Each structure stands twice: as C-alpha cells, then as structure tokens.
C-alpha cells in the first residue's frame, strides 16, 4: 500500500506537527507501506534564517518533497503569492499522475479549502480513499469569534462529510467526527513517540523545571505557569530554576514583568529553539515539567504531542483535568493532575514535588511505561495500517 501524506508543515525540521508527520510515516513504513510526504507550501519565511533548505530527500524509511522544489520563499511578495497558488496546482497534477487504486491520500493540512476540495474530487474519481488527520478542533487555534464559528460550521457541514474518514488524536475529536460524518470511518491514534532522542542528561547546578516548545498562554498556560513558579521559587528559597527553550514568546514582556515581580531573574533561563537532541537532554535532567491546560476548545479537543516526549524521558509531568491526557494518566500514579482554573494549586504542588524525590521518580517511571506501551509506533502503526487497509478494500473494484 502506498500512502501520500499531503501537508503544509516543514520537513525535516520543525515543531510538533513535523514530529507527528514523521512518526506517521515511520509507523506506516514499518508495516511495509510506502510513504511519501508532499509539502504543498514553501515553509521558510523570507528574511529569517531557514530551518530547512532541501527541496526533497529520502529519510531512510520514507521520502519527502516540496512540490515547488524548494522550502525557501522568495523576496518578491507577488512571486510568493504566485508560488503559493501554483504549488497547489502542482500538487494536484503530481497526484493525478501518481495515484492508482490501492493507494491512500492522507491530508495533514487543517481547513485549507481550495486544495482540499480538489483533492477530494481527484480521490473519488480514482477510487482512492481520502482521509484527514484531525489533531485540532477545526479553527480551534484561532480566537473564537462569530466569523470563526461560521467557518467551522461551514467546513463541518460542506467539506468534512465528503472525506472517507479521519484519524483522530483524541476521544473528543473522534466523537466530533462521528457527529458530523455518521457514515465516515474513523480511528483514534493518540500522541506518538518513538524513543528518547538522547541518552545524555543536561547537568545544572540546581533542580529545574523545563519547558520546550511554544510559549503561549492560551495553549500552554505559560504566564500562569511562570507566576506559579515564581511563588514556588520564593517558597523554596530560590533553590530551583526554570529553563525554557523555543521560539520567541508573544508574551515576553509579560513574562519579564512576572520574573521581575518575584525577583527571580537568576532562576529563569530562556534559550533559543534547540535541535531535538538538545531538547531531550534538557528534558532528561528536569525534576518536573508543567503542561498547564486552560479549559478552552483547543485544549479540550487536542492532545499535546509534547507530552509523549516528556513521558518517554522519564520526567514527571504536571497537567490539568482538561483534555485527552486524562484518559491515559492518573493523578498520583503516572502524573500530577490539578484542576484547571486553580493555578494556586500549581505552586503548592511544585513545592510538594520538590520535597518528595522518591515519589516523583516512581510517578515518572509509571508515566514512561504508559508511553512505551500505548504511544509507540509499532502498536499504533499496526492499527493505522489496518484502518487504511479497510478503506482500500472498500474502494475495491467489487464495491
């Protein structure tokens, strides 16, 4: 079976979405499938140092290509817009030449309507199943406005039911898919993690919390976490540090104000975006990682891919009662789980965890065991392969 993953996310270097695409492709390859990732949008912003410069490559278990031949966006704004349009048409033309019965079209591209509609028509004409990856509430990463609600309703009514199905990252998204496409085919594939990216451990003078990735309040509760850390740090006589790595935060001034308020300038360390191996080293050395999830649509429906990296590193994690993590983790056994909307409990929990080393190490071991059992590529890859195989069989000549 050949699986074509269509996306606008960067490869081989990127954030959580890049990691999930990489895991999907590897998981399918290890089931004997041939997987190709087609990137229909040039991802590297002009004027910024690019993270990706290669237009196509064989990564061993799968191949990827930028359909426009390069990930780099040019200096001319009109040419960039022209390229964005033409690369979508190039994607359609390439797939028209390549697709045949027995293949699968797997979309990892959120609510992009122009290309989605045309790929649906192409797939149906060739009797090829077309499936969407559903890892976010549609339009859930945007501010909730009347305009966004109308777009979501339109997408779920007019476009989503024309797909053959979806791969859902959470139970909430699985139920959403069933509600809006009762005759579709769906499978729940949770966060995926292969193995710890590094055996090395970062050595730091003091115990530290670590946060690697984006620094947003809506998604990661980063301002709430920093306030709780400030209070805990003062309560612990400033014997703990907070290390953060990733792209610049839109809340940087607010973060600086919180740090100044608690007088913890020497305890908070901002690093730039790190390669995956370095992220793993910092994660391995942390005594705790906090994933504070506010009660909003993005967090209720999503499932943080970052959680898999934390668990596999054998780092204890604190999160909230919002979202998919609560289907897999249990408070006091495999994680620390506090109610959302009660940030004062985070400070108390950080102090408690600091003083109970043996307990946190056991919780970290239990969390790692869950990740190894349920989030590994072999187990979930077999389920994904079976799901795609069923769809292909239903598109057979005898249907």
């Amino acid at each position: 079976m050949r699986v074509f993953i269509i996306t606008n996310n960067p490869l081989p270097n990127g954030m959580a979405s890049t990691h999930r695409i990489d895991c999907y492709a590897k998981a399918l390859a290890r089931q004997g499938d041939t997987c190709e990732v087609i990137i229909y949008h040039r991802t590297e912003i002009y004027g910024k140092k690019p993270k990706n410069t290669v237009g196509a490559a064989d990564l061993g278990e799968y191949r990827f290509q930028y359909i426009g031949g390069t990930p780099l966006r040019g200096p001319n704004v009109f040419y960039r817009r022209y390229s964005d349009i033409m690369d979508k048409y190039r994607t359609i033309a390439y797939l028209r030449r390549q697709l045949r019965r027995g293949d699968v079209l797997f979309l990892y591209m959120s609510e992009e309507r122009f290309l989605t509609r045309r790929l649906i028509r192409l797939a149906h004409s060739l009797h090829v199943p077309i499936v969407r990856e559903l890892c976010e509430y549609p339009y859930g990463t945007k501010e909730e406005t009347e305009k966004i609600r109308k777009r979501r309703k339109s997408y779920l009514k007019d476009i989503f039911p024309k797909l053959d199905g979806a791969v859902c990252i959470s139970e909430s998204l699985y139920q959403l898919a069933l509600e809006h496409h009762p005759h579709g085919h769906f499978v729940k594939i949770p966060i995926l993690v292969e193995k710890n990216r590094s055996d090395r451990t970062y050595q730091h003078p003091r115990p530290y919390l670590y946060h690697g990735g984006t620094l947003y309040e809506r998604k990661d509760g980063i301002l709430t976490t920093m306030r709780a850390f400030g209070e805990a740090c003062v309560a612990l006589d400033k014997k703990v540090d907070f290390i953060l790595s990733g792209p610049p935060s839109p809340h940087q001034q607010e973060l600086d104000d919180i740090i100044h308020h608690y007088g913890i300038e020497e305890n908070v360390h901002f690093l730039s975006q790190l390669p995956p191996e370095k992220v793993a080293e910092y994660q391995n050395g942390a005594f705790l990682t906090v994933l504070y999830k506010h009660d909003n649509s993005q967090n209720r429906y999503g499932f943080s891919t970052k959680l898999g990296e934390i668990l596999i590193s054998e780092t204890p994690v604190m999160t909230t009662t919002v979202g998919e993590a609560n289907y897999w983790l249990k408070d006091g056994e495999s994680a620390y789980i506090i109610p959302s909307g009660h940030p004062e409990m985070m400070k108390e929990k950080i102090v408690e965890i600091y003083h109970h080393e043996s307990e946190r190490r056991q919780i970290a071991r239990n969390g790692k065991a869950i990740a190894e059992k349920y989030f590994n590529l072999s187990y979930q890859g077999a389920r994904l392969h079976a799901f795609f195989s069923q769809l292909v069989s239903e598109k057979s000549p005898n249907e």
Side-chain angles (χ1 to χ4, degrees), residues 193-199 284 307-317 328-329 333-335 360-376:
V193 62
E194 186 173 13
K195 60 180 181 179
N196 200 343
R197 294 173 182 260
S198 177
D199 295 327
N284 291 343
L307 179 63
E309 301 291 326
I310 297 167
L311 294 174
I312 207 69
S313 72
E314 208 169 303
T315 302
V317 63
W328 305 91
L329 302 176
E333 184 175 304
S334 50
R360 74 171 184 259
R361 290 188 181 278
Q362 184 59 53
I363 286 176
R365 285 192 290 269
N366 294 342
K368 182 178 182 179
I370 287 173
E372 290 177 331
K373 182 176 181 180
Y374 296 111
F375 305 151
N376 73 81

Side-chain angles (χ1 to χ4, degrees), residues 215-217 247-254:
L215 303 173
Y216 291 95
E217 176 64 11
S249 173
H251 312 296
Q252 192 60 54
Q253 185 58 57
E254 294 168 273

Side-chain angles (χ1 to χ4, degrees), residues 170-310:
S170 69
E171 184 63 28
S172 295
L173 287 172
Y174 185 87
Q175 295 302 324
L176 180 80
L178 284 175
E179 177 186 350
H180 292 278
H181 192 356
H183 303 295
H185 299 266
F186 308 105
V187 63
K188 186 169 86 167
I189 303 291
I191 52 176
L192 298 172
V193 62
E194 186 173 13
K195 60 180 181 179
N196 200 343
R197 294 173 182 260
S198 177
D199 295 327
R200 302 178 63 180
T201 299
Y202 173 69
Q203 301 298 320
H204 193 71
R206 292 187 287 262
Y208 66 90
L209 280 75
Y210 177 67
H211 178 99
T214 56
L215 303 173
Y216 291 95
E217 176 64 11
R218 174 178 169 81
K219 182 178 181 182
D220 301 307
I222 194 62
L223 297 175
T224 304
T225 301
M226 186 63 76
R227 291 189 189 96
F229 171 76
E231 295 182 10
C233 188
V234 171
L236 293 169
D237 297 324
K238 300 186 178 180
K239 294 177 182 177
V240 294
D241 283 0
F242 194 0
I243 300 176
L244 308 94
S245 68
S249 173
H251 312 296
Q252 192 60 54
Q253 185 58 57
E254 294 168 273
L255 289 168
D256 291 341
D257 291 344
I258 295 169
I259 291 167
H260 178 72
H261 174 77
Y262 290 104
I264 53 175
E265 288 86 351
E266 299 299 318
N267 301 88
V268 179
H269 310 274
F270 289 99
L271 308 178
S272 60
Q273 193 167 339
L274 301 174
E277 296 76 16
K278 278 295 181 183
V279 170
E281 290 180 27
Y282 280 95
Q283 190 66 71
N284 291 343
F287 86 91
L288 177 68
T289 290
V290 176
L291 291 179
Y292 188 88
K293 297 297 181 182
H294 289 293
D295 189 3
N296 56 46
S297 59
Q298 184 176 12
N299 291 330
R300 285 195 299 272
Y301 285 89
F303 194 7
S304 175
T305 56
K306 193 186 310 175
L307 179 63
E309 301 291 326
I310 297 167

Side-chain angles (χ1 to χ4, degrees), residues 17-197:
S17 57
T18 297
H19 173 69
R20 189 159 175 84
I21 291 168
D22 179 70
C23 285
Y24 277 137
K26 287 178 177 176
L28 290 166
R30 293 172 193 180
Q31 297 298 317
D33 300 323
T34 299
C35 193
E36 180 177 352
V37 181
I38 299 168
I39 306 166
Y40 69 84
H41 181 81
R42 304 177 195 196
T43 57
E44 306 307 304
I45 299 174
Y46 177 75
K48 292 188 177 182
K49 184 179 179 180
K51 294 183 291 183
N52 299 282
T53 58
V54 178
D58 189 330
L59 299 181
E61 294 182 275
Y62 68 95
R63 179 178 181 272
F64 79 87
Q65 67 162 312
Y66 284 82
I67 201 69
T70 176
L72 304 176
R73 299 177 67 77
N76 185 288
V77 63
F78 297 106
Y79 180 74
R80 290 201 296 268
R81 291 175 180 173
Y82 172 79
S83 298
D84 289 343
I85 295 171
M86 291 308 299
D87 284 351
K88 292 175 184 178
Y89 281 110
R90 291 185 181 104
T91 299
I92 297 166
Y94 178 78
L95 290 170
R96 186 177 287 115
R97 295 192 303 269
Q98 292 292 323
L99 284 174
R100 60 176 182 262
R101 198 183 292 269
D103 295 339
V104 174
L105 205 51
F106 188 22
L107 310 185
Y108 196 117
M109 47 192 280
S110 66
E111 293 76 49
E112 204 293 324
R113 294 178 181 234
F114 175 84
L115 184 56
T116 300
R117 288 181 187 275
R118 283 153 181 80
L119 291 180
I120 288 172
R121 286 201 293 265
L122 177 63
H124 289 176
S125 70
L126 297 173
H127 302 281
V128 168
I130 180 168
V131 176
R132 179 196 157 157
E133 206 274 355
L134 198 58
C135 63
E136 296 274 7
Y137 187 49
Y139 296 98
T141 59
K142 303 180 185 298
E143 183 181 354
E144 190 71 6
T145 63
E146 184 61 29
K147 183 178 180 180
I148 289 298
R149 284 190 285 270
K150 287 181 178 178
R151 286 185 176 181
R152 181 184 300 124
K153 182 178 180 180
S154 171
Y155 176 81
L156 290 173
K157 179 182 178 181
D158 301 330
I159 298 179
F160 186 69
K162 293 181 173 66
L163 299 167
D164 291 298
V167 176
C168 309
I169 199 172
S170 69
E171 184 63 28
S172 295
L173 287 172
Y174 185 87
Q175 295 302 324
L176 180 80
L178 284 175
E179 177 186 350
H180 292 278
H181 192 356
H183 303 295
H185 299 266
F186 308 105
V187 63
K188 186 169 86 167
I189 303 291
I191 52 176
L192 298 172
V193 62
E194 186 173 13
K195 60 180 181 179
N196 200 343
R197 294 173 182 260

